[in-house]
Amino acid sequence: MTARSTTAAVDGAAAGGPLVELDNVSKYYGNIRALEGVSLEVHAGGISCVLGDNGAGKSTLIKIVAGLHRHDAGDLLIDGVRTVLASPRDALDRGIATVYQDLAVVPLMPVWRNFFLGSEPTRGSGPFRRLDVALMRETTRAALLRMGIDLRDVDQPIGTLSGGERQCVAIARAVHFGAKVLVLDEPTAALGVKQSGVVLKYVAAARDAGLGVVLITHNPHHAFLVGDRFTLLKRGIMSGSHTKDSITLDELTREMAGGSELAELSHELERAMGDTS
Amino acid sequence: MTMAAPPVDDRPDGPRGSGGDERLLRVSPLRTLLGRPELGAVVGAIAVFLFFSVFADSFLRASSLGTVLYAASTIGIMAVPVALLMIGGEFDLSAGVMVTGSALVSSMFSYQTTANVWVGVGVSLLVTLAFGAFNGVMLTRTWLPSFIITLGTFLMLTGLNLGLTKLISGTVSTKTIADMEGFPSARKLFASQLTLGDVELKVTILWWAALVALATWILLRTRFGNWIFAVGGNAEAARAVGVPVARTRIGLYMGVAFCAWVSGQHLLFSFDVVQSGEGVGNELIYIIAAVIGGCLITGGYGSAIGSAVGAFIFGMTSKGIVYAEWNPDWFKFFLGAMLLLATLLNAWVRRRAEATR
């Protein structure tokens, strides 16, 4: 296990400290230890990957950063200030946007209504305060285009888009609303190899736009393609923490899955690497 | 979705209009129409209208129009908020008896305190809104299904209506308040009648039209409307992007309560006395009107105008049977058949509209 101090010494493009830092954070549900002693840093223009198998505590970690759950011990620092997030709204207001794997959007609503959901721009005042529909439509189209997503029709229900497209819309939404930190919950889990590549490209685009990204995944080769820092979780505790130049893909994979599963994994990995590059 | 390359305009197929997208084929007006939630109801309404035009002689008279519209408006006033609530993904089974309860509160408060009836009307508004808030808060606090919670408040209100009325008035109906101060002006607002040519129109029709317009405005052009669709379509996603889900739901229940108040005051001021056992079963008629109007029973889809068309179908059927001089016992059969047909048509239309987008 690499000490946290080594990761702190290596700083990415960001000037100053991390945007979000977890220091020895723990979370318990009754007598169940969901997460214990986990540390993580997110820097502007960097991608911090959180890797772990099912039940490792990835979801708990994401819920703490997103403001859905409060941590029970340890510190959550935002811009170096110790914070307890009260709600998802609170997290959003502090510039932390979370894109969930399955509940990112409302399927029956048009793309433009989804894009602005919860942050709708209005015109007029008093009883005549109304949605600025023209602005919403135009901004949606422009913001998606800037992320490299050229959508046919912003009026179509978002449920008619493919899984990858929906993820990309959700990422573009977070970028547009000035998120400083983007938390992505298994963005490639339900996707085919090719669509995963597209999503990873938008993740990299968000990083290049200067955001700090937390990428939650159980797929080490996806993580290694884009990540700068890697935090490994196993059964609720942190089993490893590395920077990109201190670990190779093989080592990362080995740390995630031991022994017998390895042969199978490396086989899957070679195939996927061939397709995405 | 395509990659980020700047749009190159060298594709041979399809003209590219200014600002348009060449991949977007021109959507025919018919297709646009098919995508509207209320289409099934409109088709149904036309069918019902033609049916009774043929089979009921006096159905097409101008005076009949006023009667049909009146019957539609008494249901329509409640179908509007019930439709909004359904779009928000919830039910309110207490809506029917809440109307009666609201009328009872105004009548008995005014009678017992011998105050101006407007005081009773005001107290009734507060009490009814409190019922709605209770429904909403119970729902958002307990996470129980709204079906169970409002079934509970439905039974409780039914009992309260009967029990309290008997306790206070001694009988199952309220005492007359027609000779009390403020009655004429309140009657003007809630139960007057205006004559347009030879058509007599009740003021409830205006209330109905205003509520439909207001609800449509809220649904399509305000933030709250956006939240209603989102809460009904995917509450978890809505909460995750910062939509106040609980407040939206409570607001919707209070909307139902407000309209129950309007409806209840009409009941009181048009009949002067209120029967405390009334209203049971009406909650289903409101829901039926909303469903016929194209509201998805699972939430996230529908319109206020659709609920109005649903209520209009209800009005035409209930009065059309009378004009055709049939036994009114057949009414429920017609209503049930209409509900099934409309829902099937809606499902079919929606599938087609979505498949061919």
Side-chain angles (χ1 to χ4, degrees):
Chain A
M1 177 164 163
T2 316
R4 209 173 56 78
S5 54
T6 58
T7 63
V10 196
D11 207 342
L19 295 170
V20 170
E21 186 178 358
L22 297 183
D23 188 14
N24 243 331
V25 162
S26 303
K27 173 76 192 173
Y28 308 95
Y29 299 111
N31 60 349
I32 295 167
R33 181 192 70 190
L35 210 60
E36 198 165 66
V38 173
S39 301
L40 175 75
E41 281 179 27
V42 188
H43 291 265
I47 298 180
S48 304
C49 298
V50 177
L51 293 122
D53 219 333
N54 295 340
K58 302 191 301 284
S59 306
T60 306
L61 183 75
I62 216 171
K63 280 170 181 161
I64 291 171
V65 179
L68 276 163
H69 288 341
R70 273 164 233 187
H71 53 282
D72 295 321
D75 292 323
L76 168 66
L77 293 95
I78 297 176
D79 291 328
V81 183
R82 198 189 294 168
T83 317
V84 175
L85 294 170
S87 66
R89 185 78 253 174
D90 190 16
L92 279 172
D93 291 342
R94 292 166 191 272
I96 302 173
T98 308
V99 176
Y100 297 90
Q101 181 192 335
D102 47 355
L103 46 75
V105 295
V106 184
L108 280 170
M109 289 172 81
V111 175
W112 63 272
R113 281 186 184 268
N114 262 295
F115 193 90
F116 281 98
L117 186 59
S119 317
E120 300 88 347
T122 54
R123 328 192 270 150
S125 57
F128 298 105
R129 211 174 127 201
R130 61 199 182 275
L131 295 181
D132 195 341
V133 175
L135 177 79
M136 287 168 82
R137 281 216 176 87
E138 207 32 64
T139 312
T140 304
R141 180 178 286 278
L144 290 179
L145 208 56
R146 204 160 44 244
M147 284 291 292
I149 307 166
D150 184 8
L151 211 56
R152 294 173 294 272
D153 176 11
V154 291
D155 265 316
Q156 71 195 93
I158 206 163
T160 59
L161 302 185
S162 73
E165 286 176 316
R166 260 177 283 174
Q167 280 287 342
C168 295
V169 170
I171 294 171
R173 169 167 75 182
V175 172
H176 174 77
F177 283 109
K180 288 183 294 182
V181 176
L182 188 59
V183 185
L184 301 170
D185 183 13
E186 307 244 9
T188 58
L191 303 181
V193 176
K194 195 165 182 182
Q195 287 228 332
S196 296
V198 173
V199 170
L200 288 176
K201 209 172 270 181
Y202 294 134
V203 173
R207 173 197 61 198
D208 295 341
L211 278 79
V213 180
V214 182
L215 179 66
I216 315 262
T217 179
H218 59 241
N219 191 327
H221 52 266
H222 283 168
F224 201 77
L225 273 174
V226 292
D228 302 306
R229 288 154 200 278
F230 307 95
T231 302
L232 285 102
L233 298 180
K234 196 164 267 179
R235 302 173 73 83
I237 57 169
M238 191 163 73
S239 63
S241 177
H242 310 276
T243 54
K244 180 138 192 178
D245 37 358
S246 72
I247 194 166
T248 64
L249 177 55
D250 276 352
E251 286 164 352
L252 192 66
T253 317
R254 199 168 303 127
E255 260 197 63
M256 256 201 80
S260 62
E261 298 151 84
L262 198 61
E264 196 187 329
L265 247 168
S266 65
H267 174 63
E268 184 194 350
L269 180 133
E270 274 164 19
R271 256 189 309 159
M273 288 290 284
D275 278 12
T276 43
S277 54
Chain B
M1 191 173 5
T2 59
M3 290 299 105
V8 187
D9 201 2
D10 58 357
R11 296 177 186 82
D13 51 331
R16 188 185 172 85
S18 55
D21 190 321
E22 78 290 347
R23 289 163 306 172
L24 258 185
L25 302 175
R26 266 182 57 83
V27 180
S28 72
L30 181 70
R31 181 79 65 222
T32 316
L33 198 70
L34 279 173
R36 301 286 315 158
E38 53 280 282
L39 174 88
V42 171
V43 172
I46 293 170
V48 173
F49 183 83
L50 292 177
F51 180 82
F52 284 113
S53 304
V54 173
F55 287 97
D57 296 333
S58 47
F59 186 74
L60 282 179
R61 275 190 217 141
S63 59
S64 308
L65 181 69
T67 317
V68 166
L69 277 176
Y70 172 58
S73 71
T74 53
I75 295 303
I77 287 175
M78 286 305 291
V80 168
V82 166
L84 256 54
L85 185 66
M86 194 177 288
I87 295 169
E90 307 295 342
F91 292 106
D92 189 350
L93 296 178
S94 68
V97 287
M98 201 186 282
V99 170
T100 314
S102 180
L104 290 170
V105 169
S106 320
S107 170
M108 290 196 290
F109 188 90
S110 305
Y111 187 83
Q112 296 299 327
T113 59
T114 61
N116 188 306
V117 292
W118 281 102
V119 179
V121 169
V123 169
S124 168
L125 176 62
L126 295 180
V127 171
T128 317
L129 284 178
F131 284 145
F134 178 80
N135 274 337
V137 170
M138 283 292 283
L139 179 82
T140 52
R141 283 287 160 82
T142 62
W143 297 92
L144 290 172
S146 61
F147 185 88
I148 296 297
I149 286 174
T150 59
L151 188 62
T153 49
F154 159 72
L155 291 169
M156 281 157 61
L157 266 177
T158 312
L160 273 179
N161 284 351
L162 283 164
L164 281 181
T165 310
K166 263 192 184 163
L167 205 67
I168 294 170
S169 309
T171 62
V172 288
S173 61
T174 60
K175 303 273 196 303
T176 173
I177 57 165
D179 48 358
M180 292 180 68
E181 210 179 321
F183 189 89
S185 56
R187 180 171 203 148
K188 195 156 254 158
L189 182 62
F190 292 109
S192 61
Q193 196 156 261
L194 19 130
T195 315
L196 250 160
D198 46 357
V199 188
E200 303 225 310
L201 295 176
K202 296 266 189 178
V203 74
T204 46
I205 299 167
L206 294 183
W207 277 99
W208 181 33
L211 284 170
V212 171
L214 179 69
T216 304
W217 165 263
I218 288 175
L219 266 184
L220 298 181
R221 285 294 175 269
T222 67
R223 303 188 70 188
F224 187 67
N226 219 29
W227 298 345
I228 295 173
F229 280 112
V231 167
N234 187 347
E236 285 304 306
R239 178 168 132 77
V241 294
V243 171
V245 173
R247 269 200 289 142
T248 306
R249 286 187 174 140
I250 294 171
L252 285 171
Y253 274 101
M254 292 183 72
V256 174
F258 175 79
C259 293
W261 172 76
V262 173
S263 228
Q265 303 319 298
H266 168 70
L267 200 66
L268 170 62
F269 290 107
S270 58
F271 299 110
D272 182 20
V273 288
V274 185
Q275 301 295 330
S276 57
E278 262 178 46
V280 177
N282 283 357
E283 63 281 342
L284 290 180
I285 292 177
Y286 310 144
I287 291 173
I288 290 167
V291 171
I292 290 180
C295 289
L296 203 56
I297 207 147
T298 47
Y301 189 79
S303 75
I305 293 175
S307 80
V309 180
F312 189 58
I313 290 181
F314 173 89
M316 283 194 295
T317 315
S318 65
K319 296 301 161 196
I321 286 177
V322 176
Y323 290 130
E325 291 171 0
W326 294 345
N327 189 330
D329 296 344
W330 289 97
F331 170 63
K332 283 272 162 66
F333 173 83
F334 264 88
L335 200 63
M338 206 82 68
L339 176 68
L340 277 183
L341 279 176
T343 323
L344 281 174
L345 187 63
N346 278 340
W348 179 76
V349 162
R350 195 170 308 124
R351 251 199 317 276
R352 289 208 36 142
E354 271 163 17
T356 51
R357 264 192 113 90

